Structure formats: C-alpha cells, structure tokens
Amino acid sequence: MSAAAPASALPDLPAVRRWLGFGAMCLGMFMAVLDIQVVATSLPAIRDALSLPAEAMSWIQTAYLIAEVVAIPLTGLLTRALGLRALFALAVSAFTLASLGCAASTGFTGLVAARVAQGFFGGMLIPLVFSAVFLLFPPRLQGFATTLAGMLAVLAPTIGPVVGGWITQTASWHWLFLVNVAPGILAGALGLAMLAREPGERALLRNLDLAGLALLAACLASLQIGLKEAPARGWLAVPVLALLAGSALAGALFVRRMLGGSTPLIQLRTFRDRGFAIGCALSFLLGMGLYGSVYLMPVFLAFVRGQGPLAIGRVMLVTGIAQLINSPIAVALERRGSARLLSCAGFALFALGFGLSAFATPETDFDGMFWPQLMRGGAIMLCLLPPTRLALGALPPEAVPDASGLFNLMRNLGGAIGIALVDTVIFDRAPVHAEALTQRLLAGDASAAALVGLPPEAVSGAVKLPLDPSVEAFVRPLVEKAALVQSINEAWLLLAVVTMAGCALALLAPAARPAPAAETPARRPAALLGE
C-alpha cells in the first residue's frame, strides 16, 4: 500500500497527545452525526410539544441538513485560514451552544434558527476528522485512524434510533439536544489541550469570495429542498423543476467562478486526480446505500410491523454490531490488499445485502432482516476505507482539507438523492401495487389473498361488486400494507443496482497510488502538527 503522506510531515509529539486530540475530534463528529438520527426518530414528539403544524415538522430536520451540506465543502478553506485546532474548537463549541439553543426553543422559528447553526458547525466536524487522519498520522497508522473515524461516522446512524427512542420514552424532548452538551464541552477542551497550535492564513478570510459563497449556498440549498419535495409533489412539478433548475444554474456559475478565480473557496481542480474523482464517486454511492437503508428500515418496521422507535433501534443494531466485528478485518485487509479490489468486494457485498432485503413480506421481522443486515454491516468499512485511501491517500498534505470536504460532501449528497429516489419509488409504486392486488383479489386470485394475509378460502371465484362496506374496511388496510411492502422491496432492489455499480467503478481507479512529493518545512502541515 502506498504511503499517504511522507514521514517527514509527522510531528515530534507524544503519541498519547496525538491520539487524544484525534479522539476528541472523533467524539465531536460522532455527536454531530448522531444528532441527525436522534432528532429524526423523535420529530413527532417535538411537533406535539411545540404544537407545530404537520407540514412544519420536516423543516426541523431539513434546516440542519441544508446548513450541513453548505458547511462541508467550506471546511477546507476554513482549515487553511484558522488551522485545524482553532477550527475544531470553534465548530464543536458552536455546535454545543446551538444544541443548548435548540433545547431552550419555545417555538418553530427559534428551533429552526438553532438547527441551522447546529447543522453548519456540525457539518464541519466530519471532514475535519478525515483531514486529521492524513495530517496527524504516519501511513502505517492511517488505516486504523480511518477505521476509527469511519466506524463512528456510520455507527451513529445505526444506534440513533435506539438513543432517540429511549430519550423520547424516558425523558422530555429537550434531552434530544441536551445530550450533546457534556460531550461537546469535553471534546472542545481536550482538542484545545492536545492539538498543536498553528498560525493559519487569516488573509483567506479577508479575501473571502462572498459571491461564490452565495452561489454555493443557493446551489446546495435548492438541491436539498428540491430533493425533499420531489417524491411528494412529483419530479415534474413546477416548484420542483424550478428548484432543481436553480440549483443547476447556481452550480454551473459556482464551478466557473471557482475554476477562474485565484483564491477559490473550493479547489475543484482536485477532481483532475483520477483516484480522487473515483473515490468521491464511490463515496456518493456509499451515501445512497447507507442513508437509503437507514431510512428504509424504519419505514418498514414502523408502517408495516407497527414498531416504535426503541424497538426499531434494537433491530437495526445488527448492522452496527456487524460493522464493529468486521472493522479489524477491514483494517488488516486495507493495509495489505488492493484498494481497487477491496472496494469492489465491499460494494458487491453491500449490494448483496440490499438484494436479500428485497424479498420481504408483511410478516418479515428481526429474523428475516438479520442476514441482510449482517452483510451490509460487514461491507460498510470496505466501502469506506479503501475509497478514502483512493481519494485522499496520494494527495499532498496541503490539498487534504479541501479534498476531505468534497469527499464527505459527496457522501451526504448521495444520501439526499438516495432518500429522494427511495421515497419516489414508495410514493409512485405503492398505489400501482395496491390497484393490481385489488384487481387480482376481485378476480379470485388465491395467491393474491395469501400475499395480503387472507386465507385462500376467503377468495373462491370472482368477487361480485359492490363489496360489503365492512369487508372492504377489513381488506383495504391489508392490501395497502402488502402494496407498501412490494414498493419497499423495489426500493431495496434499486439500492442494490446502484451499489453494484460501485464494483465496476472501483476497477477504474489507479492500480497503485503514488506517494505525494516530499514535505518541505515551508508547508503548513508541519506547523499544524507542532513541528
């Protein structure tokens, strides 16, 4: 495995101090990722407590996600301007204060404003951690550090339903946000004490491209809102088309401005590196699969099986446990094997797990979900570690902060698009399946009766119309539930096809990544690491 950073870039710091600083960063990132899922599972409780209208509820989550996707690509520039230590301390402190603001909110406006601040500063914590992997550690430790960061990043959504359900059932909704306070204070204090101080390039802030920032915010916010509205309104609805067109236009203007400017907000030229471009594409596909599955399972367990948040979280723990068990294996393989082949194997196993989930019935529960979850959980680290190496491993240290922001942004965008596609399948296909099942039942199809949960003898020959109202009231929910299961199965198949594409994509990556040029004392990572 090729080196990700030259040994001369390493600091003369005690290993304990380096790991404690990195651990503080991982803790902050974990809380930011966990917050998304914890709040998502408990939105009804927040809505009831604040007496919010139903249509306002989703904006509590959307406000966070929009601010997050805007912040992620800016993290590279802010890292260069402020330094890793200062930016981490600022981000985790502001995230903690925003969490207090959320808990103290008494109405919709105050809560959404605090969620925007939470999302913006929480969004910085993820790319900061992945940058630190390649700036703080020698090549022999980067695989382990990436595993630790990646494990926490993908474990948080898995245990989120358990944590959110437990808080909702045992305490008030305020504790959904107050749980961030103590870890946030600890992470901030530990990061300031352990990470090395660096001067930063303050001139970058004085020359900040505000027009470019506005274009970036418009592009990502319009895209996020358009993807949120498309499944319910329809992809061809005028508001949706306007949002997506506005996002495309702002994005095109932003790219043109970044490629033509002398001090761009984001270094888009990094995409010229084939390994980085393919690694980002794999990160995008991982986001589609990861966020799509974390969304699909609660939908099935809540609306088909009728389970609450805590019970849903217990079922979904299988994925997290499988991930934890497989992490040491993934680290060992990543150190010795080909990043291309490991990525290919990981996405193949990920796709197989999705494919096996596509055969659910209305009776499927923990046992039926066990093996697909086991496969997906075992695949996650193989879908994260090698693509991270492909994307960031051969870049010079000064390019890593910007590249890490783009790499993590692709995963979030993949998740947003994946959820929108999953929702579209469910919205569009469930009524089609319900109508087809209804016609089969009316025609006396015994297999259709078994599919919706009726005894075969309940259907003997064609049914005469009109139906008895009591019979229709009994059968309709069964038909709708079976149709929902069929549409969810199709959504699983969609994710399987998408993630299988990652296998072919991984094989297009460079066979071996060259190490970056030797580090010189003038480069900023030396200051960053305390040399």
Side-chain angles (χ1 to χ4, degrees):
M1 185 65 65
S2 62
S8 60
L10 297 177
D12 187 17
L13 288 175
V16 171
R17 185 175 162 187
R18 186 187 307 160
W19 280 108
L20 285 175
F22 183 69
M25 297 182 71
C26 287
L27 175 61
M29 177 197 68
F30 178 78
M31 296 309 299
V33 178
L34 182 68
D35 183 86
I36 300 172
Q37 190 63 39
V38 166
V39 174
T41 59
S42 305
L43 285 176
I46 299 175
R47 181 193 64 188
D48 293 342
L50 297 179
S51 302
L52 302 178
E55 62 272 15
M57 181 177 67
S58 64
W59 280 100
I60 298 172
Q61 197 72 339
T62 302
Y64 185 104
L65 297 174
I66 290 174
E68 182 186 48
V69 298
V70 172
I72 287 174
L74 292 177
T75 306
L77 179 140
L78 294 175
T79 302
R80 298 197 306 273
L82 301 177
L84 188 73
R85 174 180 178 269
L87 181 58
F88 170 71
L90 171 64
V92 76
S93 299
F95 175 81
T96 304
L97 289 174
S99 298
L100 282 171
C102 290
S105 300
T106 57
F108 176 73
T109 303
L111 179 57
V112 168
R115 287 290 281 169
V116 168
Q118 251 198 327
F120 187 80
F121 291 103
M124 296 179 187
L125 296 172
I126 303 172
L128 274 174
V129 168
F130 282 91
S131 294
V133 167
F134 293 93
L135 296 176
L136 293 178
F137 299 102
R140 62 186 176 82
L141 294 177
Q142 287 169 4
F144 179 76
T146 305
T147 300
L148 177 61
M151 185 173 62
L152 292 174
V154 297
L155 181 62
T158 303
I159 68 170
V162 176
V163 176
W166 180 78
I167 292 175
T168 302
Q169 293 183 16
T170 60
S172 71
W173 67 272
H174 304 83
W175 282 97
L176 296 168
F177 304 103
L178 292 175
V179 292
N180 295 327
V181 175
I185 294 173
L186 174 63
L190 198 57
L192 282 173
M194 296 295 112
L195 295 172
R197 188 188 302 270
E198 62 171 324
E201 300 174 19
R202 301 294 193 270
L204 291 173
L205 295 180
R206 291 194 295 271
N207 300 323
L208 187 64
D209 184 358
L210 296 179
L213 179 59
L215 287 171
L216 175 65
C219 170
L220 295 177
S222 297
L223 177 62
Q224 190 80 29
I225 298 172
L227 292 173
K228 172 182 174 291
E229 297 294 328
R233 292 176 176 263
W235 288 85
L236 298 179
V238 173
V240 173
L241 288 176
L243 285 165
L244 297 181
S247 174
L249 177 61
L253 293 174
F254 175 77
V255 170
R256 180 180 178 182
R257 190 175 184 89
M258 292 304 101
L259 294 178
S262 58
T263 56
L265 287 172
I266 300 171
Q267 298 290 346
L268 296 180
R269 288 186 175 88
T270 311
F271 280 105
R272 293 174 177 173
D273 182 281
R274 182 157 60 104
F276 176 73
I278 291 177
C280 283
L282 293 175
S283 181
F284 181 88
L285 295 179
L286 173 62
M288 291 187 72
L290 180 63
Y291 287 96
S293 61
V294 170
Y295 175 76
L296 264 178
M297 287 193 65
V299 168
F300 179 88
L301 291 169
F303 294 104
V304 177
R305 300 299 301 162
Q307 297 183 3
L310 189 56
I312 292 171
R314 289 170 179 160
V315 174
M316 294 177 66
L317 274 178
V318 173
T319 301
I321 293 172
Q323 174 200 328
L324 286 171
I325 293 173
N326 190 55
S327 291
I329 301 173
V331 172
L333 291 173
E334 199 270 343
R335 286 178 177 174
R336 297 169 176 81
S338 162
R340 292 193 310 163
L341 296 180
L342 289 173
S343 297
C344 184
F347 277 93
L349 185 61
F350 209 30
L352 180 60
F354 289 130
L356 290 178
S357 290
F359 298 95
T361 69
E363 287 73 41
T364 298
D365 212 325
F366 181 87
D367 292 342
M369 293 183 169
F370 179 82
W371 289 108
Q373 282 199 89
L374 196 67
M375 291 183 180
R376 294 198 297 270
I380 285 173
M381 296 312 296
L382 291 176
C383 295
L384 179 64
L385 284 179
T388 302
R389 172 71 62 176
L390 288 172
L392 306 179
L395 299 177
E398 67 271 15
V400 169
D402 275 306
S404 177
L406 290 171
F407 178 75
N408 285 280
L409 174 66
M410 295 304 291
R411 186 167 62 248
N412 280 45
L413 290 180
I417 292 174
I419 291 174
L421 292 177
V422 163
D423 252 350
T424 299
V425 170
I426 294 174
F427 270 95
D428 290 351
R429 295 294 294 166
V432 175
H433 287 302
E435 178 61 25
L437 284 171
T438 300
Q439 295 304 318
R440 288 172 61 186
L441 288 173
L442 292 175
D445 188 338
S447 63
L451 189 62
V452 302
L454 293 172
E457 59 270 16
V459 179
S460 54
V463 178
K464 295 181 180 179
L465 297 175
L467 290 175
D468 182 277
S470 61
V471 172
E472 183 176 3
F474 175 76
V475 173
R476 182 179 297 277
L478 299 178
V479 171
E480 291 175 348
K481 182 182 291 187
L484 177 60
V485 171
Q486 289 182 324
S487 65
I488 290 174
N489 287 346
E490 290 181 350
W492 285 119
L493 282 176
L494 171 66
L495 294 179
V497 171
V498 166
T499 48
M500 184 59 74
C503 298
L505 192 60
L507 296 177
L508 298 177
R513 306 306 317 277
E519 188 73 14
T520 64
R523 288 191 177 177
R524 294 184 63 256
L528 169 71
L529 297 172
E531 292 183 342

